[in-house]
Amino acid sequence: MKFGENLQKLRKEKGLSQEQLAEQLGVTRQSVSKWESGASYPEMDKIVTLCKMFHCDLDVLINKDVMEERQRKDASGTIKNIFQSAIDYVKRTIYLFEHKSFKDIVKMLAQVIIIICVILCFSIPFTLLKDIVVSLFYTGDNWFSMFFSKFWEFIFNASYAILAIATFLYIFKVKFLDVEEIVEIVEEEQEENSTKEESPKMTSEKQKVKVVKVKNSDFSLLDLLSRAITVCLKCILFLFLIPIVIGTIFDVIGLVILIACIFKGLFLIGPILFLLGIAVFAIVVIEVIFDFIFNLKFSKRRIIITILSSIIVSSIGIGLSVWYFLNLNVINDVPKKFHSASEEEVYSMSDNFYIDYYDHSNTEFVVDDSLTDQVRVRIDYYPIANDVKLVEDNHEVYLDFGDVENINMKDITNSIIRDLKNDKIHTYNQLGRVSMTITTSQDNIDKIQDNYDKQYFSDEDYEYEE
């Protein structure tokens, strides 16, 4: 069946109908149809003619997939060409040093050092761009920022190293290798051989001689710098594509989420238009950068019209979004459906007793002079977002936070959607709040605060000495 499939693919690739192919082979259209369906096979002379017509081997046409073999051959040829180009580059470099005098080599090495210095200077904008990208996604001293900063540092350093090496090899080729041509001339070398029995005769042997021809070149240092700047600028733009592509992906994800909210009855036309305009604008920017880097030919008129359209759509989206959110009723509380939990413990008061405040803004001291030897500590939290308990350890009371195993994001999402439908929004960030209430006498409160301050400043002094 391979033959019939291959014949049909090759015929369609050539743009031939069954009638046209049959006419060229001198057979009927029904014969070609039977060949392609596998009902019959052509004679050997027709198969040979088909191989010549479609430029393929007999074994491939009959037994293998011709398209897969062609792709495999193209890939193999590409790898072979790359490998051969690398070998030729090394050979030409060796030949270049072989024929030059010591003075020319010193002069060439001086120019190479200048090229390397120019390329190293372009590490400055790469470093600045890396710092800018890291700062845009910096969210504090947490695992995400640490991972992201290390990841981008590796990406930028590796990219700069690869691009710097590629730039140097390209400039070295244009500046030194392309201005000289290695030509192999075959000469005949004659030798005179004579023997006692035979008369003298002339014999000839062929010998290859390498000749270096210097081409006329107006390649100046200014051209070198301009090409280096162009290449480095393209490299910077290529790296600049990475955050744009990542941002576009997040933008599309947000757009998909807003579109999914439509099926929940929430139609946020403003944010949808804004994200849609941003996505189109980012795609056009990516297209323009590719046009500059790879010298592609895109329609400038289409690009300009698309950019203007995306700006207009985004502006409308911003206006509608601002109008919508300004009319939202913000409720500074958690929705009533999320119930809070409390935990209360009573501890004995001592001279060294102190409490590690989890959050000063959420800590309240209540004076009860009847509690002279005791301290009552109560915490209020939302179990949907926190798993916390009070722990006492060597005159210290602190909060021990555990991992919440099952966060019901569906309830939170449905509650937010319900709020937006009713033109209101609760402060859902308070779900993560943990409030602490400390009840004891005033003297005990002062002592607890004093012990906490001593512990806090002693830790700071220790870290400073370290």
Side-chain angles (χ1 to χ4, degrees), residues 85-86 88-97 99-100 108 168-182 212-215:
S85 299
D88 292 341
Y89 193 99
V90 174
K91 284 183 177 180
R92 293 173 64 185
T93 303
I94 294 174
Y95 294 155
L96 178 68
F97 281 91
H99 83 276
K100 282 185 175 296
M108 184 179 66
F168 172 77
L169 294 177
Y170 172 76
I171 295 176
F172 185 84
K173 175 179 176 294
V174 174
K175 174 64 178 174
F176 301 106
L177 299 183
D178 288 352
V179 298
E180 297 182 352
E181 181 181 6
I182 307 297
V212 179
K213 293 184 178 181
V214 180
K215 303 177 182 178

Side-chain angles (χ1 to χ4, degrees), residues 2 6 9-10 55-77:
K2 287 291 184 183
N6 288 335
K9 292 177 182 178
L10 293 172
H55 305 289
C56 63
D57 296 333
L58 180 63
D59 181 58
V60 174
L61 180 61
I62 297 178
N63 300 319
K64 300 179 181 179
D65 190 323
V66 66
M67 295 303 174
E68 291 182 359
E69 289 298 319
R70 185 178 297 175
Q71 293 176 357
R72 187 181 295 110
K73 185 177 179 181
D74 292 341
S76 176

Side-chain angles (χ1 to χ4, degrees), residues 229-239 292-295:
I229 292 173
T230 302
V231 172
C232 290
L233 181 60
K234 289 184 178 182
C235 296
I236 293 174
L237 288 176
F238 184 78
L239 290 178
F292 177 77
I293 294 176
F294 301 106
N295 298 321

Side-chain angles (χ1 to χ4, degrees), residues 209-257:
V209 180
K210 297 182 179 66
V211 179
V212 179
K213 293 184 178 181
V214 180
K215 303 177 182 178
N216 293 327
S217 176
D218 55 354
F219 191 84
S220 61
L221 181 60
L222 183 61
D223 296 327
L224 172 65
L225 293 176
S226 63
R227 293 190 184 188
I229 292 173
T230 302
V231 172
C232 290
L233 181 60
K234 289 184 178 182
C235 296
I236 293 174
L237 288 176
F238 184 78
L239 290 178
F240 190 67
L241 274 176
I242 300 176
I244 295 179
V245 171
I246 295 176
T248 305
I249 293 174
F250 282 108
D251 182 269
V252 173
I253 292 174
L255 185 61
V256 171
I257 293 174

Side-chain angles (χ1 to χ4, degrees), residues 340-392:
S340 63
S342 298
E343 180 184 345
E344 184 173 293
E345 298 287 346
V346 178
Y347 302 99
S348 299
M349 184 62 191
S350 64
D351 292 336
N352 298 326
F353 181 82
Y354 74 97
I355 300 174
D356 190 356
Y357 314 145
Y358 164 68
D359 188 349
H360 289 77
S361 60
N362 291 329
T363 302
E364 180 183 3
F365 289 93
V366 178
V367 177
D368 186 351
D369 290 329
S370 64
L371 299 175
T372 56
D373 298 330
Q374 293 180 333
V375 178
R376 185 184 299 118
V377 181
R378 190 186 80 246
I379 56 174
D380 300 291
Y381 61 95
Y382 291 93
I384 192 173
N386 294 287
D387 182 14
V388 61
K389 61 181 179 180
L390 289 167
V391 177
E392 183 181 12

Side-chain angles (χ1 to χ4, degrees), residues 182-187 207-212:
I182 307 297
V183 180
E184 292 186 349
I185 301 178
V186 179
E187 294 183 348
Q207 181 181 11
K208 291 183 178 180
V209 180
K210 297 182 179 66
V211 179
V212 179

Side-chain angles (χ1 to χ4, degrees), residues 251-305:
D251 182 269
V252 173
I253 292 174
L255 185 61
V256 171
I257 293 174
L258 291 179
I259 294 175
C261 290
I262 297 176
F263 298 96
K264 292 282 188 178
L266 180 63
F267 190 66
L268 300 175
I269 182 63
I272 289 176
L273 290 178
F274 172 71
L275 293 181
L276 180 62
I278 293 298
V280 173
F281 182 81
I283 292 173
V284 174
V285 170
I286 294 173
E287 189 177 6
V288 171
I289 294 177
F290 268 101
D291 185 10
F292 177 77
I293 294 176
F294 301 106
N295 298 321
L296 303 177
K297 300 300 179 183
F298 295 114
S299 173
K300 294 181 175 60
R301 180 180 179 182
R302 177 181 60 82
I303 289 177
I304 293 174
I305 293 175

